[in-house]
Amino acid sequence: MSYAFSTGRELIALCEKGNLTIAEVMIRREAETSEKTRDELVNEMFENLLTMQKSIRFGLEENQQTVTGLAGGNAEKLMAYAEKANMGRDMAQICAAALAVAEVNASMGRIVAAPTAGASGVLPAVLVMCSEKHGFTDRDLVNGLFTAGAVGVIIARNASISGAEGCQAEIGSASAMAAAALAELCGVSPAASLSAAAMAVKNILGLVCDPVAGLVECPCIKRNAMGAANAVLAADMALAGISSIIPFDEVVGAMRSVGRLMNVDLRETARGGLAATATALEITKNISMENED
């Protein structure tokens, strides 16, 4: 039996036919399409998880400062404020972890690009920070990463995970991956997990990519926190029995369409959106002068 899939519909069919989770189908797919054994694949994912856990810890314990000075230290600030946060301690800590990983990335630290470096904080923050509350083991989290990978594969194949199609493709994809993974780990069906992914994308559809000075710092880092919060919300809606009226595959198709319709200035070129504000242009000018010196 082949475990190949390129759409959510095909993935769900495989899950239902074999009474399998998305994670299990993804593991079998990878074993089928690569020369690696199941154990090798799982061990590699454990290494990714370890890197994610370390990047969260490092980002929260060591004040990250980027060369430009545009980012750094905000993860620690939010974590310290978590007990007082209006959104609640748990959500604040998840968002702080997302900031932490994104700050480590911007400071040239080691992260896992899931699905990209610019959106690297969303998935680890959601899974790792929710693990204590739900009692997830590291093996559970590895399965969650395989679930996330399956969602990422479908989006990359049918739309994009690149900022060249807007930040909807980076943070949106990461948020969808995290939502599906968290939902499945919490016990919902594969179909409901993809519904969580669909709702996560819908909430960020049309988000532009407008990096100030062309750097993955502002507003990219703070958008990781927003993407993590969105993923948790989408997962909770799925767990509550709420489903996406628009099927996952159609949501992905809409993401692709919206990305194509975006003006080029809003697609990672740093020529529009926040990157074109007076403050951003002044920052860009100062950075250029510093580099010339």
Side-chain angles (χ1 to χ4, degrees), residues 26-287:
M26 185 61 176
I27 292 172
R28 296 186 185 190
R29 173 191 183 273
E30 292 300 288
E32 188 175 84
T33 58
S34 70
E35 297 181 354
K36 298 175 182 177
T37 66
R38 181 189 185 90
D39 286 344
E40 288 174 331
L41 291 167
V42 171
N43 288 337
E44 284 185 4
M45 199 61 89
F46 264 111
E47 288 298 316
N48 288 332
L49 174 62
L50 180 60
T51 298
M52 289 178 171
Q53 292 169 327
K54 286 182 176 179
S55 63
I56 290 174
R57 185 166 60 251
F58 188 63
L60 290 173
E61 294 177 356
E62 302 289 337
N63 194 327
Q64 304 297 308
Q65 292 294 331
T66 62
V67 175
T68 63
L70 291 179
N74 287 330
E76 290 181 283
K77 290 177 183 176
L78 185 55
M79 183 60 78
Y81 178 73
E83 292 290 345
K84 302 176 183 178
N86 292 310
M87 59 181 152
R89 184 196 66 179
D90 291 350
M91 184 66 87
Q93 290 180 339
I94 291 168
C95 291
L99 289 175
V101 177
E103 288 181 346
V104 168
N105 172 59
S107 302
M108 304 306 290
R110 189 181 185 198
I111 51 87
V112 177
T116 64
S120 58
V122 179
L123 181 58
V126 171
L127 294 189
V128 174
M129 300 308 287
C130 286
S131 62
E132 182 176 348
K133 178 177 182 177
H134 293 286
F136 298 148
T137 65
D138 280 358
R139 181 53 199 267
D140 291 331
L141 295 182
V142 164
N143 284 335
L145 293 179
F146 277 111
T147 301
V151 172
V153 163
I154 294 171
I155 295 176
R157 188 181 200 96
N158 297 287
S160 176
I161 59 172
S162 168
E165 297 296 330
C167 198
Q168 60 166 11
E170 291 201 41
I171 294 296
S173 296
S175 193
M177 292 163 65
L182 179 58
E184 183 162 89
L185 286 176
C186 287
V188 305
S189 68
S193 293
L194 287 194
S195 196
M199 289 186 283
V201 172
K202 284 159 60 178
N203 292 342
I204 304 181
L205 199 63
L207 183 61
V208 304
C209 184
D210 50 354
V212 172
L215 303 171
V216 188
E217 297 183 36
C218 173
C220 317
I221 292 176
K222 295 181 180 70
R223 284 183 180 160
N224 275 264
M226 179 272 293
N230 178 55
V232 174
L233 170 61
D236 275 340
M237 287 196 290
L239 286 160
I242 300 171
S243 60
S244 174
I245 294 174
I246 310 300
F248 174 69
D249 287 332
E250 292 183 34
V251 172
V252 173
M255 178 198 285
R256 178 179 179 178
S257 177
V258 170
R260 300 293 192 274
L261 289 170
M262 277 185 189
N263 186 288
V264 67
D265 289 349
L266 303 177
R267 296 193 290 168
E268 208 175 28
T269 58
R271 298 199 309 241
L274 296 176
T277 61
T279 297
L281 293 176
E282 184 65 25
I283 289 171
T284 302
K285 177 182 177 181
N286 292 336
I287 290 174

